[in-house]
C-alpha cells in the first residue's frame, strides 16, 4: 500500500448524448445524460484507492452546492479531500458531448487561477502525480524528485513538467515538436526523466527511453465511452510502479485499466475494474 498525492482536477461532468457524429455546421439532437463525478483527480484516484493505496487529492472547487457535492462524492469513494481548496464563486460543469461511436468532445469553462501552497514533506509520500495547470506545480515537482516517484501528464502547452515519468497521448503530441519523442520529453521533463510514454488508443502505447523505444499492445475492449481512459492508464501505471513492477509490466497493467475504462459508461472507473482489483487482493 502506497501513499499517493494527486494534483489534478475534480469535475462535475454533464453528459450530452448526440444522435450522430459532430460535423461543422450540422444540427444535432441530444439526450441529457445527467451529472457525474469526473476530472483527472477522481478518474485516476478512485482506481488507485480500489487497489489499496492511500490517495490524497490536491485540487480546487467553488464554495457552492456543486462544490459540496463534488467533495462528498469523492470522499465517499475513499479519496482524502482535506487538501482540496475552496474558492469564491460557482463550480462550473464540464460538458462532455458524446457521439454514438463513444468519442467525446469536451467543452469546459476557463479555469480560475489555482495556486498551490508550500509543498508537503515529500519523504511521507511514495508518489506524486501532476495533471493540473496549478501555479506552483513546477516547484512542487522539482522539490519532490529526490524523494519520491514523480509522474506527470504533458500539458497542453510546453510548460516544464519535471518528473521521472512523463505521459502523453499521440493526439496531444501532434505538431508539437520536430525533435525526437525522447528529446522532446527530456526538454519538458528535464534530466530526471526515465520514461516518456505516449498512448495511442487501440494501437497501444509507446515507451521511449534514452536507449530506444518499445510498443506495448492495447488490451482489446468494446468501446462504450472513452472518457477517463487516459486517467485510468495513468492510475494503472502508477499502481504498477509503486508495486515494484518493471515499467513494461506496469504499462501492461495500465493498458488493462484503460480497457476497463473505455468499456464503462462512467467517467470514473467502472465496476469491472473494482472487481478485478478485489480479485487481485484476495
Amino acid at each position: 500500500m502506497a501513499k499517493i498525492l494527486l494534483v489534478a482536477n475534480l469535475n462535475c461532468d454533464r453528459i450530452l448524448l448526440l444522435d450522430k457524429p459532430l460535423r461543422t455546421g450540422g444540427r444535432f439532437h441530444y439526450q441529457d445524460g445527467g451529472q457525474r463525478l469526473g476530472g483527472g483527480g477522481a478518474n485516476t484516484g478512485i482506481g488507485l484507492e480500489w487497489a489499496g493505496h492511500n490517495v490524497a487529492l490536491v485540487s480546487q472547487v467553488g464554495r457552492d452546492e456543486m462544490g459540496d457535492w463534488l467533495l462528498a462524492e469523492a470522499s465517499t469513494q475513499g479519496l482524502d479531500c482535506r487538501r482540496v481548496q475552496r474558492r469564491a464563486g460557482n463550480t462550473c460543469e464540464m460538458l462532455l458531448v458524446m457521439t454514438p461511436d463513444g468519442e467525446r468532445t469536451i467543452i469546459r469553462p476557463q479555469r480560475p487561477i489555482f495556486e498551490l501552497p508550500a509543498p508537503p514533506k515529500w519523504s511521507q509520500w511514495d508518489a506524486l502525480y501532476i495533471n493540473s495547470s496549478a501555479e506552483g506545480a513546477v516547484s512542487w515537482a522539482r522539490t519532490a524528485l529526490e524523494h519520491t516517484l514523480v509522474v506527470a501528464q504533458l500539458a497542453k502547452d510546453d510548460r516544464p513538467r519535471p518528473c521521472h515519468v512523463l505521459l502523453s497521448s499521440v493526439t496531444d503530441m501532434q505538431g508539437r515538436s520536430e525533435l525526437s519523442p525522447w528529446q522532446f520529453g527530456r526538454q519538458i521533463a528535464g534530466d530526471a526523466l526515465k520514461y516518456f510514454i505516449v498512448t495511442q488508443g487501440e494501437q497501444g502505447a509507446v515507451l521511449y527511453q534514452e536507449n530506444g523505444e518499445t510498443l506495448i499492445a492495447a488490451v482489446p475492449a468494446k468501446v462504450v465511452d472513452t472518457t477517463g481512459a487516459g486517467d485510468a492508464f495513468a492510475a494503472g501505471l502508477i499502481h504498477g510502479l509503486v508495486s515494484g513492477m518493471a515499467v513494461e509490466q506496469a504499462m501492461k497493467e495500465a493498458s488493462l485499466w484503460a480497457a476497463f475504462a473505455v468499456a464503462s459508461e462512467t467517467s470514473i472507473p467502472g465496476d469491472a475494474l473494482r472487481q478485478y482489483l478485489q480479485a487481485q487482493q484476495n
Side-chain angles (χ1 to χ4, degrees):
M1 178 183 294
K3 292 187 64 179
I4 302 170
L5 189 62
L6 307 182
V7 182
N9 297 319
L10 192 60
N11 297 335
C12 176
D13 292 345
R14 167 72 70 176
I15 313 303
L16 304 180
L17 304 169
L18 297 189
D19 61 334
K20 55 188 175 183
L22 282 170
R23 62 179 178 81
T24 303
R27 296 190 178 189
F28 308 90
H29 291 98
Y30 72 87
Q31 293 180 346
D32 189 342
Q35 295 176 328
R36 66 189 190 191
L37 180 65
N43 299 345
T44 304
I46 290 173
L48 288 168
E49 180 68 29
W50 289 348
H53 304 294
N54 291 326
V55 184
L57 180 61
V58 180
S59 191
Q60 183 185 66
V61 298
R63 196 173 296 279
D64 60 353
E65 290 185 2
M66 187 174 292
D68 294 341
W69 179 81
L70 284 172
L71 291 177
E73 289 291 309
S75 298
T76 299
Q77 295 287 349
L79 300 181
D80 179 353
C81 294
R82 291 176 294 175
R83 295 168 181 81
V84 177
Q85 297 181 18
R86 306 297 299 268
R87 59 172 175 77
N90 295 329
T91 307
C92 297
E93 293 178 331
M94 182 85 70
L95 299 181
L96 270 62
V97 182
M98 309 294 300
T99 54
D101 57 2
E103 290 299 320
R104 51 86 173 99
T105 299
I106 298 174
I107 303 173
R108 66 174 179 85
Q110 185 69 37
R111 297 187 189 277
I113 294 175
F114 172 33
E115 296 185 4
L116 295 175
K121 187 175 181 180
W122 293 117
S123 60
Q124 298 177 354
W125 298 94
D126 298 297
L128 167 67
Y129 173 63
I130 296 178
N131 184 14
S132 169
S133 58
E135 298 289 336
V138 172
S139 61
W140 270 41
R142 284 178 176 156
T143 59
L145 285 171
E146 294 185 5
H147 306 281
T148 189
L149 172 68
V150 180
V151 181
Q153 286 281 352
L154 180 69
K156 299 301 182 184
D157 54 25
D158 288 342
R159 73 183 64 193
R161 281 284 201 242
C163 61
H164 302 112
V165 184
L166 182 64
L167 299 175
S168 183
S169 69
V170 67
T171 301
D172 286 342
M173 285 291 292
Q174 290 178 353
R176 292 291 291 264
S177 174
E178 295 182 357
L179 297 173
S180 71
W182 176 251
Q183 290 174 326
F184 174 73
R186 285 289 294 269
Q187 178 178 283
I188 297 296
D191 294 341
L193 184 67
K194 295 180 180 179
Y195 312 119
F196 181 28
I197 298 171
V198 180
T199 59
Q200 300 183 343
E202 63 182 14
Q203 302 303 316
V206 181
L207 167 65
Y208 295 100
Q209 301 178 82
E210 189 170 13
N211 59 354
E213 62 187 67
T214 305
L215 174 64
I216 302 297
V219 174
K222 180 180 179 181
V223 177
V224 175
D225 184 344
T226 59
T227 307
D231 297 323
F233 184 95
L237 181 75
I238 294 168
H239 167 67
L241 293 175
V242 299
S243 299
M245 295 181 189
V247 63
E248 293 87 355
Q249 186 61 38
M251 288 177 65
K252 292 178 182 178
E253 182 75 5
S255 296
L256 180 58
W257 287 37
F260 284 126
V262 299
S264 171
E265 294 181 348
T266 63
S267 296
I268 61 174
D271 287 339
L273 177 60
R274 186 204 294 266
Q275 293 168 7
Y276 163 75
L277 292 172
Q278 288 176 341
Q280 295 293 106
Q281 296 168 28
N282 293 334

